[in-house]
Structure formats: C-alpha cells, structure tokens
Amino acid sequence: MTSTDTPPRRSIVIIGAGIIGCSTAYYLSRHPSFSPSTTVRVIEASINGPAQGASGKAGGLVAQWAYPKELVDVSFAEHVKLAKKHNGKERWGWRYVETGSWEGRALLGEGSGSGVGKGGKRKSLEKTLGLNPDISEWDRKSKGLPDDLLWVRDSLTDSYSPMAATGETAQVHPYQFTTSMLDLAKEKGVEFVSGKVTSIKQLDGQVTGVVYTKLGTQEQVEIHASDIILCAGAWSPSLVPGLPITGTRAHSITIRATPGTIITPYALFTEITLQQAGKNVKRVTPELYARPDNEVYACGPGDDSALPETVDDVQVDEAACESIRKHVSFISKELSEGTVDKRQACFLPIVKYNSDPLVGAATKIANGLFIAAGHTCWGICNAPGTAKAISQLVMDGKIRCGNLKKLDPSRFS
Ligand SMILES: Cc1cc2nc3c(=O)[nH]c(=O)nc-3n(C[C@H](O)[C@H](O)[C@H](O)COP(=O)(O)OP(=O)(O)OC[C@H]3O[C@@H](n4cnc5c(N)ncnc54)[C@H](O)[C@@H]3O)c2cc1C
C-alpha cells in the first residue's frame, strides 16, 4: 500500500465516472464555496476512461414527463441552462425532439425481410401510374403519422400518437454530455484518477478515505477523503453491501443513414407485431431515437445476464444486436440501407422494489458518505438535478434545489 496523502481541508472523492459522477464533479466545481483548497477526485475503474457504462451507451432522452417528478423538475431546467451556457448543441447534441408511440406490423418472410406490406406495393403502383394521388396522404393522416416523419414505412404503420407536446422532450448524446461534464470540471481543478475502488474506509462512524487499485497494476493506494460520493451505477453494492440496487443488461446499436437521407428528430417507442403466414408470431418493442447527423440509436429489451466484475467485462451478444437491427430494418427503409456503427451492451442500474433512485446522505452507514445511484431508465435526464442536489448537500449540508426527501437513501434500512 502506498501513501496516505496529507489531509487537506476538504477532500471529496467521487466513485464512478458515469453521467452521475461526472455531473456531480461539474456541480461541485461550480459551487460558490468551491475553492482551490477543495480537492475533488473522480475515480473510475474502466481502463477506457469515463462513460463506458450505461452513461455512454444510453439513448439520451431528456423529458419533462420522466420520473421521479421532483428530480425531473430540477433536472430539465438544468439541462436547458447547461446547454445554453456551454453550447450543448455543438458540444453534446442538445436539441428538442418529438416523441411518439408507433404501432405497426412487419411481415416475416415477405419482401425478403423488408417488411413491405401489401398496401405498400399497391400504393406505390398507384403512385407510379398517377392514380389516386391523394390516397397515401389520406392513409398517413388517418394513422396519425406526422407530415415530417418519413423514415418509417407508412404501409406498415397501424397508428402513431404523440406522447408529449412539442418542447417537452429533448435529447443529448450521453457520451458527449458525460465527457463534457468531466472536462468542464477538470478546467476548475477536479482530478480524474484511473483506479478501481476496493473499499471505503471509516473510523468512529465518519468516512476517512478510500482504497483503490491503480489500473494496470496490483498497486493499492489509500487516499484521504472527508466526503465520499458513491456513483458506481449497478456496481454500487460492491462497495456498500446491502444497497438495494441491481443491474439489467440491455443491448443497443447505432445506425448511420446513407448520406442524403433526411432523418427528422423523433424518438419512437415502437410496438411491432411480427406476422408470418397471416399469423401474429411475436411482438417486439425497440425504441428508436433520431440523433443529429443522420444517426439513429435503437435499443432492445433487457436480459438476465449477471453483472460482471467491471464495466470493461460486459459481454456483447451479437445475436441480440442483430435482432434489433432486423426489427428496425423491417419498419424503416432508410435504416435498413444504413450502416451499423455500434453494437453495444451496458447495465441499467435499478433500485429494487420498483423504487426511485437513491440520492442523499447515507448517515445510517457513515457520516460523510453520500449515495447517488440507481437511476434506472432516466439517469441521463436526471443527472443534472441529482448532481446539483448532491453538491449542495456536500457543500452546504442540505439540498436547496427541490424537495428530494423521497429519494433519501435512509428510507432503506
Ligand atoms: C439501453 C439504455 C437506454 C437508456 N436510455 C436513456 C435515456 O434515453 N434517457 C435517460 O435519461 N436514461 C437512459 N438510460 C439510463 C441511463 O443510462 C442510466 O440511468 C445512467 O447512465 C446511470 O448512470 P450512472 O453514472 O449511475 O451509472 P454508469 O453509467 O453505470 O456509471 C457507473 C460508473 O462507475 C464505475 N465504477 C463501478 N464500480 C467502480 C469502482 N469500484 N471503482 C471505480 N469506478 C467504478 C463504472 O465503471 C462506471 O463507469 C438508458 C439505459 C439503458 C441501459
């Protein structure tokens, strides 16, 4: 074990450089009481740096209709402010998107997997011959398809319905947002440390520091900490055993549509009924998020794969990625002709008992220990609110940005 450093006045350690840890580093570095005598270190276990887990592989939807409401109310407004202050449009792809629920069918084994339904062929023939030119327009309208949503096959659409009003849903590129938060925090003096934290030290009910293994070595290092913020996502219980957090693996892909194709900004929650020989054989529900530069992110269902030792050990099941690609290609010609750039998997951190994330002080375990973990499917949306609240709790002793009592970790024994 090497050096325990001389304790400075305030030494804050953040465990985990996902979106929660990196955003917390940012908000601490912008807190009015932050000064050069405050040390903030973000320790990350991935050899590849920050945002290698769910925070780099999520969809990136930021919605006023997300949950829990108390956290969303703070977070959405903070996302807007951050984007304005740091040019989020260029830096992390911040923009507003339309969101809708899309239902339709795909015909397996017909049209060589293209999923083109009979109606589609009829309509295109009518169009070619100049007959009934308005039928397709009428058909689209009756299904609720917006005029500018042209990258899903209208012939396979049963219905489309908007899920929120314009302006209520936005998006970020999660990897770019997370790494930007860290870079902006580093500009103010926050340090990034490559290491896997192996234990949290405490004495007489007060945290005193952490021990971590330097990546690529066996070397154990102990550093002093007056405050420790646990932001290790699904891995959080490995450092605080008994925390009611688990992880579910989910796969996703990104597809780049061919140049010249116009992919308008929609997030689609789909329900596709796969049909074969006139029978419904399966229902699949990939989510599709259009991103700037003609990229579309698509994710599939979770599975019960066990949480591996670190984020770098997460296995990607190629078959799971391929099935997302196939399902998405059925319903979109533009995506079927595009190039798959990424095939990936990550672990969604979930609080057991269908509960809200844990955001607050873990006084039942030790003074100076804070937990910000278990953000389920809204961690990208809720990172700024979580980070702002935790930075206030650490620096001022209380959360001032909203009433987040229901997220207090001490609700669990
Ligand atoms: C398929 C999918 C799509 C999603 N889409 C959206 C979306 O559109 N909008 C939205 O709001 N949310 C979305 N989410 C949810 C969101 O991704 C997560 O809630 C969020 O990323 C969790 O962030 P985190 O920082 O808590 O965890 P993580 O991103 O998992 O980060 C935890 C970090 O801690 C590190 N770590 C773990 N143990 C240690 C240790 N001992 N020492 C040091 N470091 C350690 C890990 O290596 C990792 O980097 C999605 C999730 C999935 C799976």
Side-chain angles (χ1 to χ4, degrees):
M1 182 97 72
T2 53
S3 75
T4 306
D5 49 3
T6 3
R9 246 170 17 128
R10 177 150 232 171
S11 176
I12 304 168
V13 165
I14 297 172
I15 305 172
I19 195 164
I20 304 297
C22 293
S23 303
T24 301
Y26 170 88
Y27 277 89
L28 282 169
S29 73
R30 268 43 178 197
H31 190 279
S33 314
F34 182 80
S35 73
S37 67
T38 313
T39 308
V40 178
R41 294 179 176 115
V42 183
I43 309 183
E44 169 53 47
S46 170
I47 200 88
N48 300 310
Q52 297 302 312
S55 302
K57 298 181 171 99
L61 220 55
V62 172
Q64 284 183 25
W65 43 272
Y67 51 84
K69 189 177 179 319
E70 296 81 352
L71 197 48
V72 174
D73 286 349
V74 187
S75 296
F76 196 91
E78 287 299 315
H79 265 295
V80 173
K81 275 193 223 160
L82 288 171
K84 205 166 168 194
K85 188 165 177 188
H86 299 293
N87 191 11
K89 183 172 179 249
E90 294 300 319
R91 203 161 176 166
W92 54 75
W94 166 264
R95 65 176 184 174
Y96 287 90
V97 291
E98 299 296 331
T99 321
S101 144
W102 183 96
E103 281 185 39
R105 294 147 290 122
L107 311 179
L108 297 173
E110 282 187 36
S112 54
S114 71
V116 176
K118 285 175 191 137
K121 281 181 190 154
R122 179 172 58 83
K123 265 185 297 196
S124 63
L125 185 63
E126 278 162 347
K127 210 173 170 188
T128 312
L129 298 176
L131 303 171
N132 255 347
D134 291 337
I135 192 167
S136 131
E137 195 48 40
W138 175 83
D139 196 30
R140 286 180 59 82
K141 281 212 160 41
S142 69
K143 291 169 176 174
L145 274 171
D147 291 345
D148 63 344
L149 177 53
L150 295 166
W151 51 273
V152 284
R153 296 180 196 270
D154 48 0
S155 61
L156 297 178
T157 304
D158 287 336
S159 68
Y160 172 90
S161 42
M163 288 169 58
T166 300
E168 286 181 349
T169 315
Q171 73 179 171
V172 299
H173 187 298
Y175 178 82
Q176 292 169 0
F177 180 86
T178 304
T179 49
S180 295
M181 286 292 103
L182 182 63
D183 289 344
L184 289 164
K186 278 159 69 180
E187 283 173 13
K188 297 279 181 188
V190 169
E191 292 169 38
F192 178 77
V193 178
S194 290
K196 181 174 183 243
V197 176
T198 50
S199 65
I200 292 172
K201 296 280 178 194
Q202 55 166 299
L203 185 67
D204 300 332
Q206 169 67 45
V207 299
T208 56
V210 297
V211 177
Y212 69 89
T213 311
K214 262 190 181 177
L215 295 188
T217 72
Q218 298 295 317
E219 192 184 343
Q220 295 273 298
V221 180
E222 181 167 352
I223 52 171
H224 165 78
S226 55
D227 306 271
I228 297 171
I229 309 165
L230 180 61
C231 307
W235 287 271
S236 300
S238 68
L239 290 166
V240 176
L243 268 192
I245 293 178
T246 57
T248 295
R249 186 177 68 162
H251 286 83
S252 57
I253 61 173
T254 62
I255 303 176
R256 179 90 45 194
T258 47
T261 311
I262 297 172
I263 302 288
T264 41
Y266 277 87
L268 301 179
F269 291 77
T270 73
E271 204 169 302
I272 311 170
T273 304
L274 304 179
Q275 299 178 327
Q276 194 155 36
K279 285 198 178 130
N280 294 347
V281 288
K282 198 176 176 185
R283 185 165 292 181
V284 292
T285 56
E287 292 174 19
L288 299 177
Y289 302 162
R291 286 176 173 170
D293 299 328
N294 268 5
E295 183 175 273
V296 176
Y297 169 94
C299 62
D303 62 32
D304 56 5
S305 173
L307 186 73
E309 171 117 8
T310 74
V311 76
D312 295 338
D313 303 317
V314 175
Q315 297 290 312
V316 177
D317 176 356
E318 290 299 329
C321 293
E322 183 53 17
S323 101
I324 300 172
R325 191 199 64 76
K326 262 195 193 150
H327 297 151
V328 166
S329 297
F330 283 145
I331 66 163
S332 168
K333 178 173 175 293
E334 289 72 10
L335 298 185
S336 72
E337 291 169 355
T339 312
V340 178
D341 282 341
K342 294 216 170 87
R343 293 167 189 262
Q344 56 198 11
C346 62
F347 275 81
L348 180 73
I350 297 174
V351 179
K352 288 181 189 169
Y353 324 114
N354 265 342
S355 193
D356 291 320
L358 304 177
V359 179
T363 38
K364 281 188 184 168
I365 303 167
N367 288 325
L369 178 63
F370 303 86
I371 299 178
H375 285 71
T376 64
C377 52
W378 287 114
I380 306 301
C381 176
N382 286 329
T386 302
K388 188 169 186 174
I390 291 285
S391 71
Q392 292 177 346
L393 195 55
V394 172
M395 303 297 264
D396 307 330
K398 66 173 184 204
I399 296 174
R400 289 179 287 101
C401 58
N403 183 356
L404 303 182
K405 259 199 160 52
K406 68 184 271 206
L407 310 182
D408 192 332
S410 60
R411 70 188 189 270
F412 292 108
S413 58

